[in-house]
mmCIF file of all heavy atoms in Angstrom:
data_model
loop_
_atom_site.group_PDB
_atom_site.id
_atom_site.type_symbol
_atom_site.label_atom_id
_atom_site.label_comp_id
_atom_site.label_asym_id
_atom_site.label_seq_id
_atom_site.Cartn_x
_atom_site.Cartn_y
_atom_site.Cartn_z
ATOM 1 N N GLY A 13 205.009 59.763 289.506
ATOM 2 C CA GLY A 13 204.620 60.343 288.292
ATOM 3 C C GLY A 13 203.601 61.473 288.466
ATOM 4 O O GLY A 13 202.841 61.776 287.628
ATOM 5 N N PRO A 30 178.849 62.532 286.584
ATOM 6 C CA PRO A 30 177.669 63.389 286.643
ATOM 7 C C PRO A 30 176.427 62.705 287.201
ATOM 8 O O PRO A 30 175.691 63.387 287.971
ATOM 9 C CB PRO A 30 177.450 63.677 285.092
ATOM 10 C CG PRO A 30 178.809 63.588 284.597
ATOM 11 C CD PRO A 30 179.527 62.457 285.255
ATOM 12 N N ARG A 37 171.484 65.656 294.737
ATOM 13 C CA ARG A 37 170.694 66.958 294.700
ATOM 14 C C ARG A 37 169.236 66.688 295.147
ATOM 15 O O ARG A 37 168.744 65.582 294.957
ATOM 16 C CB ARG A 37 170.714 67.546 293.226
ATOM 17 C CG ARG A 37 172.076 68.017 292.879
ATOM 18 C CD ARG A 37 172.189 68.435 291.460
ATOM 19 N NE ARG A 37 173.489 68.877 291.091
ATOM 20 C CZ ARG A 37 173.964 69.067 289.822
ATOM 21 N NH1 ARG A 37 173.152 68.842 288.779
ATOM 22 N NH2 ARG A 37 175.164 69.442 289.659
ATOM 23 N N VAL A 49 170.915 52.882 296.110
ATOM 24 C CA VAL A 49 171.000 52.167 297.494
ATOM 25 C C VAL A 49 171.202 50.705 297.315
ATOM 26 O O VAL A 49 171.960 50.099 297.976
ATOM 27 C CB VAL A 49 169.749 52.584 298.299
ATOM 28 C CG1 VAL A 49 169.739 51.650 299.587
ATOM 29 C CG2 VAL A 49 169.909 54.046 298.728
ATOM 30 N N HIS A 50 170.240 50.117 296.450
ATOM 31 C CA HIS A 50 170.278 48.633 296.328
ATOM 32 C C HIS A 50 171.565 48.192 295.644
ATOM 33 O O HIS A 50 172.165 47.145 296.038
ATOM 34 C CB HIS A 50 169.080 48.141 295.527
ATOM 35 C CG HIS A 50 167.821 48.176 296.362
ATOM 36 N ND1 HIS A 50 167.648 47.211 297.383
ATOM 37 C CD2 HIS A 50 166.741 48.925 296.356
ATOM 38 C CE1 HIS A 50 166.483 47.463 297.893
ATOM 39 N NE2 HIS A 50 165.855 48.501 297.382
ATOM 40 N N ALA A 51 172.083 48.919 294.687
ATOM 41 C CA ALA A 51 173.361 48.596 294.014
ATOM 42 C C ALA A 51 174.429 48.746 295.001
ATOM 43 O O ALA A 51 175.351 47.722 295.067
ATOM 44 C CB ALA A 51 173.575 49.569 292.775
ATOM 45 N N ILE A 80 188.935 51.824 310.841
ATOM 46 C CA ILE A 80 188.080 51.860 309.639
ATOM 47 C C ILE A 80 187.094 50.691 309.635
ATOM 48 O O ILE A 80 185.998 50.765 309.087
ATOM 49 C CB ILE A 80 188.915 51.847 308.364
ATOM 50 C CG1 ILE A 80 188.116 52.229 307.166
ATOM 51 C CG2 ILE A 80 189.537 50.495 308.143
ATOM 52 C CD1 ILE A 80 187.661 53.658 307.196
ATOM 53 N N GLU A 111 172.219 43.038 287.603
ATOM 54 C CA GLU A 111 172.518 42.304 288.905
ATOM 55 C C GLU A 111 173.727 41.447 288.748
ATOM 56 O O GLU A 111 174.576 41.471 289.696
ATOM 57 C CB GLU A 111 171.260 41.475 289.328
ATOM 58 C CG GLU A 111 171.409 40.883 290.808
ATOM 59 C CD GLU A 111 171.271 41.902 291.823
ATOM 60 O OE1 GLU A 111 170.806 43.046 291.538
ATOM 61 O OE2 GLU A 111 171.656 41.580 292.989
ATOM 62 N N VAL A 120 185.251 41.426 292.265
ATOM 63 C CA VAL A 120 186.508 42.126 291.998
ATOM 64 C C VAL A 120 187.015 42.807 293.206
ATOM 65 O O VAL A 120 188.267 42.786 293.552
ATOM 66 C CB VAL A 120 186.325 43.159 290.831
ATOM 67 C CG1 VAL A 120 187.554 43.992 290.694
ATOM 68 C CG2 VAL A 120 186.059 42.432 289.511
ATOM 69 N N THR A 181 206.557 57.380 304.612
ATOM 70 C CA THR A 181 207.635 57.124 303.670
ATOM 71 C C THR A 181 207.595 55.621 303.333
ATOM 72 O O THR A 181 208.029 54.762 304.156
ATOM 73 C CB THR A 181 209.059 57.608 304.184
ATOM 74 O OG1 THR A 181 208.963 58.885 304.434
ATOM 75 C CG2 THR A 181 210.054 57.331 303.040
ATOM 76 N N PRO A 183 208.134 52.109 300.595
ATOM 77 C CA PRO A 183 208.959 51.678 299.532
ATOM 78 C C PRO A 183 208.202 51.913 298.186
ATOM 79 O O PRO A 183 206.965 51.811 298.151
ATOM 80 C CB PRO A 183 209.126 50.208 299.836
ATOM 81 C CG PRO A 183 208.836 50.079 301.263
ATOM 82 C CD PRO A 183 207.859 51.099 301.627
ATOM 83 N N PHE A 192 197.882 51.040 292.142
ATOM 84 C CA PHE A 192 197.147 50.091 291.337
ATOM 85 C C PHE A 192 195.870 49.677 291.999
ATOM 86 O O PHE A 192 194.780 49.641 291.413
ATOM 87 C CB PHE A 192 198.025 48.823 291.059
ATOM 88 C CG PHE A 192 197.327 47.672 290.366
ATOM 89 C CD1 PHE A 192 197.163 47.793 288.986
ATOM 90 C CD2 PHE A 192 196.865 46.634 291.090
ATOM 91 C CE1 PHE A 192 196.513 46.764 288.308
ATOM 92 C CE2 PHE A 192 196.136 45.628 290.421
ATOM 93 C CZ PHE A 192 195.928 45.647 289.062
ATOM 94 N N GLU A 195 193.364 52.449 291.728
ATOM 95 C CA GLU A 195 192.806 52.647 290.347
ATOM 96 C C GLU A 195 191.724 51.540 290.097
ATOM 97 O O GLU A 195 190.698 51.816 289.524
ATOM 98 C CB GLU A 195 193.963 52.445 289.319
ATOM 99 C CG GLU A 195 194.893 53.560 289.264
ATOM 100 C CD GLU A 195 196.143 53.371 288.472
ATOM 101 O OE1 GLU A 195 196.423 52.157 288.162
ATOM 102 O OE2 GLU A 195 196.809 54.283 288.060
ATOM 103 N N ALA A 199 187.843 52.188 289.284
ATOM 104 C CA ALA A 199 187.199 51.658 288.073
ATOM 105 C C ALA A 199 185.961 50.977 288.354
ATOM 106 O O ALA A 199 184.947 51.061 287.619
ATOM 107 C CB ALA A 199 188.201 50.738 287.378
ATOM 108 N N ALA A 210 172.698 54.232 283.064
ATOM 109 C CA ALA A 210 171.998 53.531 281.990
ATOM 110 C C ALA A 210 170.698 53.024 282.407
ATOM 111 O O ALA A 210 169.683 53.070 281.589
ATOM 112 C CB ALA A 210 172.921 52.418 281.460
ATOM 113 N N ARG A 215 164.695 53.502 282.253
ATOM 114 C CA ARG A 215 163.398 53.714 282.906
ATOM 115 C C ARG A 215 162.652 54.961 282.358
ATOM 116 O O ARG A 215 161.490 54.962 282.160
ATOM 117 C CB ARG A 215 163.565 53.869 284.458
ATOM 118 C CG ARG A 215 163.960 52.578 285.167
ATOM 119 C CD ARG A 215 163.824 52.740 286.679
ATOM 120 N NE ARG A 215 164.811 53.727 287.187
ATOM 121 C CZ ARG A 215 166.021 53.376 287.573
ATOM 122 N NH1 ARG A 215 166.410 52.126 287.468
ATOM 123 N NH2 ARG A 215 166.853 54.287 288.069
#
Side-chain angles (χ1 to χ4, degrees):
R37 296 174 179 166
V49 167
H50 284 288
I80 197 65
E111 189 69 16
V120 171
T181 301
F192 174 80
E195 289 170 341
R215 289 191 294 272

